[in-house]
Amino acid sequence: GWLSASRFKRCAYSMNSGVVAGNSERLHEKLILLASSASLRKEMGQAGRRYYEEFLTVENAKEKIISVL
């Protein structure tokens, strides 16, 4: 394709939390890539789930708050 998955990963991930786009044209390109790649959508979904489980669950938030006290 016009943009490899590995190149997309380097420019589109920010700490495994989503797409980074410098302008609307870049965002459009990344959305087209996502729309055309089931494996990339799956990988990003799994990364989002891991991020949620590590940082956003109530249990993890509680543990982090308690560790600071």
Side-chain angles (χ1 to χ4, degrees):
W2 51 270
L3 183 61
S4 70
S6 62
R7 185 168 178 209
F8 174 76
K9 290 174 195 172
R10 286 194 305 272
C11 66
Y13 284 96
S14 173
M15 297 172 23
N16 292 326
S17 61
V19 174
V20 175
N23 57 45
S24 61
E25 290 84 16
R26 258 184 95 191
L27 178 59
H28 178 258
E29 290 173 0
K30 304 312 174 210
L31 291 174
I32 296 294
L33 181 59
L34 273 175
S36 65
S37 176
S39 64
L40 188 55
R41 290 190 306 271
K42 182 177 180 180
E43 184 178 341
M44 287 186 74
Q46 290 170 339
R49 179 66 183 199
R50 284 190 304 272
Y51 182 86
Y52 164 79
E53 290 172 350
E54 185 173 346
F55 297 106
L56 302 177
T57 64
V58 172
E59 189 62 34
N60 284 337
K62 180 178 80 173
E63 290 173 11
K64 288 176 183 167
I65 290 170
I66 289 171
S67 73
V68 175
L69 299 177

